[in-house]
Amino acid sequence: MGLVMLGNCGGATGQAASGESDTADSAAIAPTDSTAAEDIRFDADSAYSYVATQVSFGPRVPGSESHAKTSAWLERELRRHGAEVTLQHAKLKAFDGTELPMTNIMGSYKPDKSDRLLLLAHYDTRPWADQDATAANRKKAIDGANDGASGVGVLLETARMLGAAQPDKGIDILFVDCEDYGTEGDDESWAMGARYFAAHPIKPGYKPSRAILLDMVGGIGAEFPAEYLSRSNAPEIDDAIRSAAARAGHSAKFPRKIGGAITDDHVELIKAGIPAIDIIDYRGGFCPTWHTMDDNMDNIDKETLRAVGETLFEYLRKN
C-alpha cells in the first residue's frame, strides 16, 4: 500500500478498464421474532476463524487459484448469512502492464432501502513482501493475514450478526479487489477495485450515503487514531465511531487523536462524493508486519478483532 505525505499503512489508487455487474435507514438495529438484541454478540473466535480460512487458501493475488477460491467462498458466506449478493467483474491494467481479473463482491441487507451504509475491506493480498528485512523474501507473496484478511474477517462476522438481527436499515458489505497491486511513489497504482467501484455503480444508481473501510484491524498492539483524510471529509462518522468504541469499552484502541493521511480504498469513495472513513492501524509509522512475510496468523490478535468488531456493531446499533 502507498502513502499520502503523512501516511502509514495505507493503500492507493489505480487504473480501470471495462467490466460488468452480475446479478439505510438510520434506525437502530432491531432483531425480529424471538432473537433478543442482547443475544447477538461479536464472536472474536469466529472472526479469527474467518481470517485463518482466507490465509489457508494461500496468497490471494488477483489471477491466482487462491484468489479465485477466496472470491467464491466469500460469495457463499455472504449468501449463507442472508445477504443479496452482487458481483462486479472487470479486467484492470496494473502499473507494470499486468492485466488483473477483478471481482468486487457486495452483500446487501434490506436492499429495498434507499439510504445505504457501505462497509468494506479489500480481500486481495500483496504480490511481493517488498518491505521484508530479508532480501530473499522480497519477491514472495504475503499471507496477508492482517493486510486484507483481518478486515474481511470482521465483516464476515458482522454479516453473521446482521443475518441474525435483521436490522431495519440498508447495509452493504463490500469485499473489494485489486487494492494491493501497486508501487510506491505512484498513488494511481493502488486501490484499483475501489476506483472501478466508485466510477461504475455496481447496481443502477447505486451510491451509499456513507462508508466505513476496515484495513489492518487484527494486529497485535494495534491502535486506530483518526485517519487524517477521514477526519477531514467525514468528521461526524469518525466521531460516531469513537463514541461507539467508548460505549463498547474500547476507547484505548480508538484514541481521539489524528493519525497520518493514508491513501486507501476510502479515498476513491471520497472522490466520488461519498463521506467515508478508514479504520486502520496507525502507530506513528508503518505497521510492523506491513508488506512482510510476518503478516501471518502468528501476528493476529483476537482481542484486536474483538475491539474493532464490537465497536462497529455498536455503531450499527445506534446510528
Side-chain angles (χ1 to χ4, degrees):
M1 300 177 189
L3 308 176
V4 171
M5 298 179 65
L6 306 176
N8 291 273
C9 306
T13 51
Q15 298 180 4
S18 61
E20 59 181 335
S21 295
D22 299 336
T23 292
D25 291 345
S26 61
I29 288 177
T32 58
D33 301 326
S34 61
T35 305
E38 57 269 21
D39 292 336
I40 301 172
R41 305 283 185 183
F42 184 87
D43 187 336
D45 289 331
S46 174
Y48 183 89
S49 178
Y50 279 131
V51 176
T53 297
Q54 292 170 81
V55 172
S56 74
F57 289 128
R60 281 85 62 207
V61 178
S64 68
E65 182 179 356
S66 298
H67 181 275
K69 288 180 178 179
T70 303
S71 62
W73 174 73
L74 291 174
E75 179 185 355
R76 291 195 303 270
E77 286 301 294
L78 286 172
R79 294 190 193 279
R80 186 167 73 89
H81 294 314
E84 176 187 279
V85 176
T86 306
L87 305 179
Q88 185 178 49
H89 302 293
K91 292 187 182 299
L92 310 179
K93 183 173 288 188
F95 71 94
D96 60 0
T98 301
E99 189 175 80
L100 302 177
M102 180 213 79
T103 301
N104 290 331
I105 306 164
M106 191 171 80
S108 298
Y109 293 88
K110 298 293 181 181
D112 58 309
K113 300 287 184 179
S114 59
D115 184 27
R116 313 298 303 171
L117 165 63
L118 178 66
L119 309 175
L120 68 155
H122 79 89
Y123 72 96
D124 62 303
T125 52
R126 183 71 170 156
W128 319 279
D130 50 300
Q131 299 296 322
D132 201 278
T134 302
N137 288 337
R138 293 175 193 159
K139 293 186 178 180
K140 297 178 182 178
I142 67 172
D143 282 349
N146 193 28
D147 192 356
S150 65
V152 172
V154 169
L155 291 185
L156 281 174
E157 173 58 10
T158 300
R160 181 194 67 79
M161 293 190 294
L162 291 175
Q166 288 296 304
D168 189 27
K169 60 199 307 183
I171 300 174
D172 301 307
I173 293 178
L174 174 68
F175 299 130
V176 69
D177 201 359
C178 295
E179 190 274 342
D180 229 350
Y181 202 109
T183 185
E184 291 304 315
D186 181 1
D187 283 355
E188 300 302 304
S189 65
W190 305 83
M192 292 183 283
R195 169 174 286 159
Y196 189 88
F197 178 86
H200 302 83
I202 193 167
K203 296 179 179 180
Y206 178 81
K207 186 175 183 179
S209 62
R210 59 213 184 282
I212 298 174
L213 170 65
L214 305 185
D215 198 354
M216 301 189 212
V217 294
I220 297 169
E223 287 189 2
F224 308 99
E227 188 272 329
Y228 181 82
L229 299 175
S230 303
R231 187 70 199 174
S232 299
N233 288 277
E236 68 289 343
I237 304 176
D238 184 72
D239 281 338
I241 280 289
R242 279 162 222 291
S243 294
R247 293 194 302 272
H250 301 301
S251 55
K253 287 284 190 188
F254 289 81
R256 291 184 180 271
K257 63 182 181 181
I258 304 296
I262 303 164
T263 49
D264 207 344
D265 291 317
H266 70 306
V267 174
E268 294 303 320
L269 302 179
I270 291 171
K271 289 177 181 177
I274 300 165
I277 70 166
D278 189 5
I279 298 176
I280 187 167
D281 184 6
Y282 178 87
R283 312 177 203 179
F286 284 100
C287 305
T289 63
W290 180 77
H291 292 183
T292 74
M293 299 302 289
D294 289 329
D295 188 0
N296 55 41
M297 292 305 298
D298 290 341
N299 290 301
I300 294 297
D301 184 0
K302 290 181 184 179
E303 292 311 307
T304 300
L305 296 172
R306 185 191 312 281
V308 175
E310 289 182 350
T311 295
L312 181 61
F313 201 59
E314 179 62 20
Y315 172 87
L316 296 179
R317 284 169 54 85
K318 300 295 184 181
N319 295 273

